[in-house]
Every structure is written in C-alpha cells, then in structure tokens.
Amino acid sequence: MTDSIPPPRSIPAWIKVLDDVRLPALAGSHARVRHALGDSSRSLREIADLIQASPVLALSVLREANRSVNSLSEAAESLEVALSRIGLKRTEALLARIPALEPAEIPKSLRQIVVISQHASQQANGLFAARLARLWQDIHWGSLLFLSPVWTLVAAYPSLFESWEQRVLVAGEPAARVEQELLGVSLLELCLAMAEHWRLPDWIAQGYRLLGADRRYLIKALHIARDNEHPLHQQQMLDDDPDLRRWLTLPSNTIVLANGLALSAHHSWSGGHSLRWQRLTGLYLQLPLAAVQQLVHQQAVQSARRYPIPGTWHPARGLLLPWDSRFQQPMATPKPKVPDADAMAAWRTCCAQLLREPSAFNNALQLTTVARQAFTAAGMQRVLLLLADRTQSRLVAQQAANLDEAASGLTLDPGQSPLLRKLLEKPALLRLKPDNATHYSPLLPGALKERFSAQHLLLRSIGLNGRVNVLVVADRNGEPFADTTLQAFEKTAQCVERALASFSKRVR
C-alpha cells in the first residue's frame, strides 16, 4: 500500500485496512524460521525462540493463532501456545505469505517504529522482569507488541510517522490534534480497537485504556513522581491514597512505563516527556531519579547492541551528545517545484480553449474537463472541481485528478461547513499554509481532509455575475507552492470564470 491512497477516517475503516496489511520480515530471520520449521528435530521451544527474534513474525503467529478462536476461548499469549494451537504446517503456510526483505527494502518508518518497540522490550526486561520473574513472559510480550498496531499503520502509510515526528516532536503541536488531522481518529482509541480485534495480550489493551479513558490514576501518580528527591513524602502521599498505591504496583503498568521511556527517548533524554516517564518509573521502583536514569541508559545501550537495524536512529547514540540535545530536527523545506516548459505549453493551450469566443463547449462537462486539465498543467497534482446546484445547498464533484475513485462521486453539504458557506457567498481564494492551517483545517469537511493536506492547500470559488458556480480544491501532494504555480492557478481560475460567462451566453 502507498501513501497515494487516502487514509481512512473512522476506526472500523482503519481496522479493515490494517487487518489486510502484510508486514515484511527481515530476510535473515525469515529464512532461519522457515528452515527450522522443516527440521523435524526442532522442538516448539526452539522454533518459538527463533520466531521471537523477529517482532513481525511473532506478531503474525500470535494474530493467526487468535484469529480462528471464538471470543470465549482464551487468547494465546505466548509463541509456544500459539504454535501448538495452529500447528507447524499452518505456520509454514503463514510464513510463505509474509514478505522477506532486506533491511534497506523495508520502509524506514517501519524499521524505526520496530526499533522503538525493541528498545521498550529491553527496558521492560531490564527494569522489571527480574523483579517480577514469574511474569517475565507477560512483561516481554506486552512491551514488545504494545506498539504493534502502529507497525501496520506505518507500513500502510509510511509518511504518517514522519509527519507525526515533525509536528509533535519537533514543532511541539498537540498530539491529539495532529492525530485527528492525520488519521481522523484518536491514535490511542485506534490502537485499543486493534489490540482488542487481534486479541493481543490483555495487558496491552489495559495500557491503552490507562493512557486514554482511565488517566486519572496516571495523572495523580505523575504529580507525586515529580517530588522524586523526597521519597518519604512520596510514600506518605501514596499511603494517603490506598487506591492509587494499589494501582501503582500493578504489574501490567510495566509495559506502559517501558514504552513511555522508549518513545520519549526517541526524541530526547532530557526533555519533559522523558523526565516524566523516568520519574514515574522511579516511583514504581522506589528509586531516585539518578539511579533510574543510569539503569535506563544501560538498557538503551544493551538494546542498541542486541537489535542493530541499519538506517535507523537509536537513542543510545544520543548518550554521546550534549545532554540537552534534541534528536529529530526540522526538515529542510523543499524548494517549490515549478511547471516545466511542456506543462506550461499545455496550460496555455487549455487556457486558449477556455477563453475562445463564442464558447467551444457543448456542455458543462466538456468545460470542466478542460478546466481540470488546465489546473493540472499549471502544477496542481491533485484537483477536485465541484459544481454548486441552483440553491447552493449541494456541491457535487464533476472532475477529479489523481484522487481515489470515490472522489468522483463526492457530494458536500455547505450547510455543515461555515468555510464552504463563506466561499459560496462570492468568488474568493483561500490558501491554507502552515501558519494558518491549525485555524482552517478543523473547518474543512472530513471528505476533503481525507484527500488533501491542510498544510498546503488552495480553495477557489469561481462564479458568474457574483454567484458562485464552481469550487476548485487543489494541492501539490502536500508540498509548498511556488509563486509561479500560484500565479498560474489564479490565472486559470480567471480563464474558467470567463469560460463560464461565454458558455452561459451560448446556452441562452
């Protein structure tokens, strides 16, 4: 799947898409497991150990084992149970469907999120598994697979992770708002839905509920954890709240702590998010911040040594940098592209057709077809032309370029969007860019947000005698606009306006 297909905007639609994603596995791990499956002398334990070395294979086997059991059956929460449930033949067939790729062939965003999950697993095993030895499997699998719903999301839409990094980690935008714009839903709610759908270990669903709907205990604990230099005072505060104290010691919290440590360290060791998770871990382990940081750094180094994946960033490398370093930096703004000579020649030809008098068009469809061609020749990579009905109560798509098939039959209700109503009052241009996108993006209809990037978007209403007939929505796949492209876009809109006037005379 590629980013050219617009992402879904609802949890049921996301589940359907992510359920169909086939995650690629590293070729080396894939080959070793397939060889072991064909070796009759290998035990289930040995095969499970080989599968465990590949997070993608482990997730695939657990999902397959839990897919065919009913809701009353107990889910398989370890590889040995999963293997015994589905059998070796079915496991072989499953592996045959999983792409085996070299590291460089796997999308970088997917490699990166798997590294974060492996780092979380190392933190969980190093910090908590020895203290809770009887629960080490729950801790291991829960921490490793906690972000697995995100693996499939990133595999389907690699650019989403990069956008999230730049907007949340680098630019500091609120995560909830960014997720709503990028996904149409809360990421926590989506991950919870996927964890329940795949019947992942119970601790994972509990963790997402804790981060989402059941945050009151977490917020209380974070408040107490800030007073890390006074352990006696912390203990007194916990003693005063027995419910909070009982919650804090739940073993299932370890996988949330481990993933919080790993994900926050992905950007900085000293940032606010990292310090909050380090202090909360100190409260859980009853250790001072300095001791926690030493342990966390040691586990990060162990993780980098155990799970080297080329072309990815591991926070352990950041330990060699100044303490206040931020690991992700703003991406260089790409230089806007301008249409080449051939495109501009095609644009002039289209504009000449639009400006011809008397009108060369026999019907509105012919006119809008040439208008669409003119906008794409002017440098627009995605274009949607919608016609307003006589009462301006509906906008119906008549032309679409480089959009999904559903866009051609799109109908919008201006009554539900103040932004559309404003554009239908009189011909006008609205340009969305990074400095105003946060204001206008929430006002865009969901059907447009699904298909266009609000960071760089043009909306132009075109009319006749002051009455709007056409709405044009266009962008360059989310890239910035060159001045030349903006000028060509506006001239094209003016040509369409004159074409409408000429066409209306012919119709009469």
Side-chain angles (χ1 to χ4, degrees), residues 268 270 321-326:
S268 167
S270 62
L321 303 177
W323 178 241
D324 58 352
S325 296
R326 300 293 183 266

Side-chain angles (χ1 to χ4, degrees), residues 158-434:
S159 66
L160 288 180
F161 183 73
E162 296 166 7
S163 298
W164 181 86
E165 275 188 326
Q166 285 294 308
R167 297 182 61 182
V168 176
L169 299 184
V170 178
E173 293 184 47
R177 186 181 71 204
V178 172
E179 291 161 12
Q180 193 66 38
E181 289 182 19
L182 294 177
L183 309 175
V185 298
S186 160
L187 180 59
L188 291 175
E189 292 177 7
L190 175 58
C191 289
L192 173 59
M194 293 307 304
E196 293 175 337
H197 179 68
W198 289 340
R199 302 191 69 195
L200 295 178
D202 287 341
W203 284 11
I204 294 177
Q206 290 176 31
Y208 283 118
R209 292 189 195 101
L210 166 64
L211 294 171
D214 302 335
R215 298 184 65 185
R216 56 192 182 94
Y217 282 136
L218 181 62
I219 293 170
K220 284 183 180 180
L222 284 168
H223 179 72
I224 295 174
R226 291 174 61 186
D227 192 18
N228 188 267
E229 303 303 318
H230 302 93
L232 288 177
H233 184 238
Q234 285 184 324
Q235 191 59 51
Q236 288 172 354
M237 294 178 73
L238 289 173
D239 290 341
D240 292 340
D241 194 338
D243 290 339
L244 177 61
R245 188 177 68 242
R246 280 192 293 272
W247 169 85
L248 181 65
T249 56
L250 289 174
S252 58
N253 290 339
T254 57
I255 70 169
V256 178
L257 293 172
N259 277 271
L261 290 168
L263 196 54
S264 60
H266 177 64
H267 181 53
S268 167
W269 282 112
S270 62
H273 291 300
S274 286
L275 290 176
R276 277 193 287 273
W277 287 109
Q278 290 165 9
R279 288 175 179 142
L280 190 57
T281 301
L283 184 64
Y284 186 93
L285 296 174
Q286 297 185 328
L287 290 174
L289 179 62
V292 170
Q293 288 177 333
Q294 185 177 21
L295 290 171
V296 167
H297 296 168
Q298 289 172 350
Q299 296 308 318
V301 173
Q302 289 293 330
S303 173
R305 287 173 177 166
R306 291 186 64 187
Y307 309 114
I309 298 183
T312 58
W313 167 260
H314 198 290
R317 291 163 57 190
L319 294 172
L320 302 175
L321 303 177
W323 178 241
D324 58 352
S325 296
R326 300 293 183 266
F327 306 143
Q328 283 74 44
Q329 300 300 323
M331 293 176 65
T333 303
K335 187 177 180 180
K337 296 178 182 178
V338 297
D340 59 24
D342 289 342
M344 292 308 294
W347 174 72
R348 292 189 193 95
T349 299
C350 291
C351 287
Q353 285 182 267
L354 293 169
L355 295 174
R356 188 179 303 169
E357 291 195 15
S359 176
F361 305 112
N362 295 317
N363 53 57
L365 182 62
Q366 291 179 351
L367 190 158
T368 56
T369 298
V370 175
R372 169 180 55 79
Q373 293 169 347
F375 281 115
T376 54
M380 298 300 115
Q381 292 183 348
R382 293 186 294 207
V383 179
L384 183 65
L385 270 69
L386 302 110
L387 300 187
D389 65 4
R390 292 182 180 278
T391 62
Q392 292 192 330
S393 59
R394 282 199 317 162
L395 283 165
V396 181
Q398 190 170 60
Q399 298 286 341
N402 300 317
L403 294 170
D404 59 294
E405 291 183 13
S408 300
L410 192 65
T411 300
L412 301 179
D413 180 3
Q416 296 181 358
S417 170
L419 188 148
L420 292 185
R421 291 199 301 272
K422 190 72 176 175
L423 286 168
L424 290 177
E425 287 179 3
K426 60 181 180 180
L429 170 67
L430 175 61
R431 178 185 175 189
L432 273 66
K433 44 190 177 179

